[in-house]
């Protein structure tokens, strides 16, 4: 039987393996079911959660994100796997997590706006098409990947249902400008650090189609995709909020 230290070393191992997450397998569908169930529970119980002055669920989600970040970066350094091309928080989801943490702590409208747009499309796409480190279960990154993205999406639902974040034109423009500036930066940085931040260097999925594009055309497709996702989220979100019956105190200014 392995000792505790041997088990921990195995759990935090850094030698790459050949594991590939099985898309749309029973395990994948189970994970998606967990995501959906958690989101439904938050939405259904929004009034109860809103009446909780201590915001216990919000604190639990915030604590989970702190735990995920500590666990992820401790693995980078303990296992010696950190590189400038992969370990920086410059993927959309990795940037969304600190933004969500800051949104919980400050309630700032701009930060919450970035959290909502990036957390929603980043989290959903990452869970529909998981791109995890190639380690067989159990491994620390098996847990940090799914915990981080689960809580990311649940936090967005929490912001919308409990904190009553409102989709506005100002928020949309802020998200578009910030997203494009961010992507210009990572597109410029990737060649210097041999990275694939925001997946501008090569596609994580649909490689048979996207891989045939020139680097310039592929980058244009990625830029357009991010903008379309933001517009889609805004259009659907604003429409749903417009059609929903307003309750007393539901109107929110753009100051938090």
């Amino acid at each position: 039987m392995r000792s505790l230290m041997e088990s921990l070393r195995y759990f935090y191992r850094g030698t790459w393996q050949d594991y590939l997450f099985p898309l749309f397998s029973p395990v994948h569908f189970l994970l998606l079911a967990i995501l959906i169930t958690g989101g439904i529970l938050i939405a259904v119980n929004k009034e109860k959660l809103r009446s909780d002055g201590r915001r216990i669920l919000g604190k639990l989600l915030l604590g989970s994100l702190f735990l995920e970040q500590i666990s992820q970066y401790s693995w980078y350094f303990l296992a010696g796997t950190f590189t400038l091309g992969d370990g920086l928080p410059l993927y959309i989801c990795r940037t969304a997590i600190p933004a969500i943490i800051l949104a919980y702590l400050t309630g700032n409208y701009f930060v919450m706006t970035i959290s909502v747009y990036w957390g929603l499309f980043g989290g959903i796409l990452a869970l529909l098409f998981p791109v995890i480190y190639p380690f067989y279960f159990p491994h620390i990154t098996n847990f940090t990947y799914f915990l981080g993205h689960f809580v990311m999406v649940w936090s967005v639902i929490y912001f919308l249902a409990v904190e009553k974040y409102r989709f506005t034109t100002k928020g949309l423009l802020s998200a578009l400008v910030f997203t494009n500036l961010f992507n210009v930066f990572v597109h410029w940085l990737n060649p210097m650090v041999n990275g694939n931040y925001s997946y501008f260097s090569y596609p994580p999925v649909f490689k048979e189609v996207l891989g045939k594009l020139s680097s310039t055309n592929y980058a244009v497709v990625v830029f357009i995709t991010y903008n379309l996702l933001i517009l889609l989220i805004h259009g659907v979100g604003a429409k749903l909020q417009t059609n929903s019956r307003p309750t007393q105190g539901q109107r929110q200014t753009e100051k938090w």
Side-chain angles (χ1 to χ4, degrees), residues 64-76:
S64 298
L65 289 177
F66 271 119
L67 176 63
E68 185 276 336
Q69 290 285 279
I70 293 170
S71 299
Q72 180 69 34
Y73 284 94
S74 67
W75 171 71
Y76 280 137

Side-chain angles (χ1 to χ4, degrees), residues 10-11 13 17 19 132 134-140 142-143:
Y10 182 77
F11 191 60
R13 63 193 182 276
Q17 298 176 295
Y19 178 73
I132 68 174
F135 294 101
Y136 287 92
F137 183 88
H139 189 266
I140 181 63
N142 301 150
F143 293 91

Side-chain angles (χ1 to χ4, degrees), residues 84-137:
L84 289 177
D86 180 65
L88 298 176
L90 293 177
Y91 289 100
I92 289 293
C93 292
R94 288 191 194 171
T95 308
I97 290 178
I100 291 171
I101 290 174
L102 191 58
Y104 274 121
L105 295 175
T106 68
N108 179 270
Y109 181 78
F110 171 75
V111 177
M112 194 171 289
T113 293
I114 301 303
S115 301
V116 167
Y117 285 101
W118 286 20
L120 198 57
F121 77 72
I124 290 175
L125 288 178
L127 291 169
L128 282 176
F129 305 101
V131 181
I132 68 174
Y133 287 108
F135 294 101
Y136 287 92
F137 183 88

Side-chain angles (χ1 to χ4, degrees), residues 171-190:
L172 171 62
L173 293 176
S174 297
L176 288 171
V177 170
F178 185 80
T179 301
N180 283 287
L181 289 175
F182 177 88
N183 283 335
V184 166
F185 170 72
V186 297
H187 182 51
W188 167 80
L189 180 68
N190 275 332

Side-chain angles (χ1 to χ4, degrees), residues 34-35 42 57-68 96-97 100-101 104 115 119-120 123 127 143-159:
I34 293 173
L35 172 72
I42 294 172
L57 179 59
K59 292 177 181 177
L60 288 174
L61 294 173
L62 173 60
S64 298
L65 289 177
F66 271 119
L67 176 63
E68 185 276 336
I97 290 178
I100 291 171
I101 290 174
Y104 274 121
S115 301
L120 198 57
L127 291 169
F143 293 91
T144 56
Y145 184 91
F146 290 103
L147 172 65
H149 290 93
F150 281 163
V151 179
M152 186 188 306
V153 175
W154 291 339
S155 292
V156 173
I157 296 173
Y158 183 87
F159 291 154

